[in-house]
Amino acid sequence: MSLHRNPVVALVAGAVALSLLAGCGGSPAGRSLSSTSTVVANLDALAKPLQARTFKTLKGTVTILLPDDMQGLKHQLFRFETRSANGQTNVVQCAHNIDLAPYIPLKVGDQVEVKGVFIEEQPYDVIHWTHHDPKGGEGGYVKLNGKLYQ
């Protein structure tokens, strides 16, 4: 069964990925995914932001390369620092799906442009969906040294 053809499987995978990205090690909202009713509640909470897909394009400097997440859908993880027009800095964690897009040869200090679905989260905002959409919809990318990784 393909994750891209089964929306329930895709949402469960997304719930697990978001909990890992948030660094809490548990499910969103701190609930266990052990019961069906809890999974449904967590999926309902996640479905709205996933359907809305608020894309942002951010530019910044890579500050840390994190170990790749090789569980389930594989993701290259890194953080980069952005600077707003008023000079405020923000650190964003990128989850770049390397099952759907090429691996990026990043180094700390690299300048990147990242387009993806932006989620405000603590302790770091997260940007994901930085790849083409396998169903033909809007996709994202990571741009490094003029080359798009999507």
Side-chain angles (χ1 to χ4, degrees), residues 7 9 18 23-24 46 53 71 73-74 85 99-101 105 112 119 123 125 135 137 145:
V9 173
L18 284 174
C24 65
L46 286 171
R53 286 200 183 147
Q71 306 243 344
L73 297 174
K74 296 172 187 72
D99 281 336
L100 294 174
V112 291
I119 300 171
D125 294 333
K135 293 184 179 181
N145 297 325

Side-chain angles (χ1 to χ4, degrees), residues 88-142:
Q88 184 177 359
T89 59
N90 187 33
V91 176
V92 178
Q93 183 160 310
C94 180
H96 180 68
N97 186 326
I98 51 178
D99 281 336
L100 294 174
Y103 199 85
I104 309 163
L106 291 169
K107 300 182 305 292
V108 171
D110 281 342
Q111 299 298 310
V112 291
E113 178 178 297
V114 181
K115 177 185 177 187
V117 176
F118 185 80
I119 300 171
E120 290 185 26
E121 188 63 52
Q122 292 296 323
Y124 302 102
D125 294 333
V126 175
I127 192 163
H128 69 107
W129 204 265
T130 58
H131 52 79
H132 70 280
D133 183 343
K135 293 184 179 181
E138 184 175 7
Y141 60 82
V142 176

Side-chain angles (χ1 to χ4, degrees), residues 12 15-16 25-28 30-43:
V12 169
V16 171
S27 66
R31 293 183 293 231
S32 167
L33 289 177
S34 60
S35 74
T36 304
S37 62
T38 302
V39 170
V40 170
N42 286 332
L43 292 178

Side-chain angles (χ1 to χ4, degrees), residues 26 40 54 82-83 144:
V40 170
T54 304
T82 64
R83 191 166 301 245
L144 173 67

